Amino acid sequence: MLSADSNKKCRESTMPNQVLDDLAALLNRPVDDLLRSIPQLGDDASRALLEQLLPLMATPSKPPGPSGVDVFSSDDARLRAQILTYHATELMTDRERAQFLGLPNGCRIRERAKILAPEKLECGEDVWIGEGAVLDAQGGLEIGDNTQIGLGVMVWSHTSHRQATSGETGSSRDKIAYRRTSIGSNCFIAGPSVIAPGVTIGDRVIISPLTFVDRDVANDEVLSGPRSLKKLEERVAALEAQLASQKS
């Protein structure tokens, strides 16, 4: 945590106060909270990098598109705030990033991980989220205490395939399906696995790497996509051998 002197030093740096105010407004956080969450602002080298990034975070003007029509939608401010929030966490540690994103005590989240609709995420304590993971909470997402989400894991709670096949991408959201996804406590989800929308995973579950989970998983179960496929191939080979012997 920065001292009062450190906060004062940050404000008196070459970084314009207006830029800090704009950043705090975009991220919907007080300036002092921002300074406490990013202690690297007191470091000259890190501050020099931030000085190049912060001007890009100010709300831009809205130039018209090629047709002369304003191309910015009403969602741009919300999306920009989300994008800039993740940019602001690039210089943070795992724990600082988790605190900045509002995750519970003991949680850690690695760089380039993303949470979609974080307001709909119910996250337990001491959860670890690996690099590049995508947690989609748009349809509701629950993660229990002490669970580990591996590198590149994708957890989904919505699907837009019917929207795409109906030719309604970008024009209507009526065919997007939202399904609550739940992951229990003390689970290990190895990456890069994919959890489909609507799946319920129990406690103490282990998901092996490269596994696509499209069914509910019971407590204490070990699920492996590659291993299951190998067993299926072995069974098919045995059946083929049995049929061949019968013909002969």
Side-chain angles (χ1 to χ4, degrees):
M1 180 178 294
L2 289 179
S3 65
D5 290 340
S6 298
N7 280 337
K8 182 178 180 182
K9 180 180 178 182
C10 288
R11 282 186 172 276
E12 292 177 350
S13 70
T14 57
M15 191 183 308
N17 286 343
Q18 185 59 51
V19 175
L20 275 177
D21 292 339
D22 288 344
L23 174 61
L26 285 171
L27 300 180
N28 195 27
R29 285 173 170 81
V31 172
D32 290 340
D33 183 40
L34 181 64
L35 294 172
R36 283 194 301 270
S37 299
I38 313 178
Q40 293 88 345
L41 283 174
D43 178 75
D44 290 340
S46 298
R47 190 167 65 243
L49 178 60
L50 282 172
E51 286 175 346
Q52 299 176 34
L53 177 62
L54 289 175
L56 301 177
M57 295 183 173
T59 304
S61 58
K62 297 185 177 182
S67 62
V69 178
D70 184 3
V71 297
F72 285 78
S73 71
S74 59
D75 289 334
D76 281 339
R78 177 181 58 83
L79 292 175
R80 186 178 300 110
Q82 183 184 76
I83 293 169
L84 297 179
T85 294
Y86 286 105
H87 273 299
T89 66
E90 285 297 316
L91 298 177
M92 297 182 186
T93 67
D94 299 352
R95 294 188 186 278
E96 290 170 347
R97 188 177 295 109
Q99 180 182 5
F100 188 73
L101 296 175
L103 297 178
N105 291 334
C107 288
R108 292 179 293 161
I109 178 169
R110 297 286 291 172
E111 57 272 16
R112 295 184 299 281
K114 180 177 292 187
I115 303 173
L116 308 181
E119 69 278 3
K120 297 182 180 180
L121 171 64
E122 299 176 23
C123 184
E125 296 185 347
D126 300 305
V127 170
W128 186 86
I129 303 168
E131 289 95 334
V134 176
L135 305 183
D136 168 31
Q138 295 178 81
L141 175 60
E142 179 182 4
I143 301 176
D145 296 339
N146 303 302
T147 284
Q148 298 181 20
I149 308 293
L151 283 67
V153 168
M154 296 185 180
V155 183
W156 298 105
S157 63
H158 89 284
T159 175
S160 58
H161 68 277
R162 290 184 61 243
Q163 180 196 49
T165 56
S166 301
E168 298 182 5
T169 300
S171 62
S172 173
R173 302 177 63 87
D174 292 343
K175 289 187 172 60
I176 298 178
Y178 298 92
R179 303 187 185 97
R180 181 178 177 81
T181 301
S182 177
I183 300 174
S185 300
N186 308 311
C187 294
F188 179 82
I189 315 295
S193 296
V194 178
I195 313 298
V199 165
T200 296
I201 296 175
D203 298 331
R204 300 173 301 279
V205 168
I206 296 177
I207 306 294
S208 296
L210 299 171
T211 300
F212 176 60
V213 184
D214 60 351
R215 65 170 177 83
D216 291 349
V217 184
N219 292 342
D220 303 297
E221 187 173 348
V222 177
L223 185 63
S224 174
R227 188 178 305 168
S228 300
L229 180 60
K230 183 178 180 180
K231 289 182 179 178
L232 179 60
E233 290 174 343
E234 291 173 349
R235 183 177 179 184
V236 170
L239 289 173
E240 288 177 343
Q242 183 179 355
L243 288 173
S245 63
Q246 291 176 354
K247 289 181 180 179
S248 60

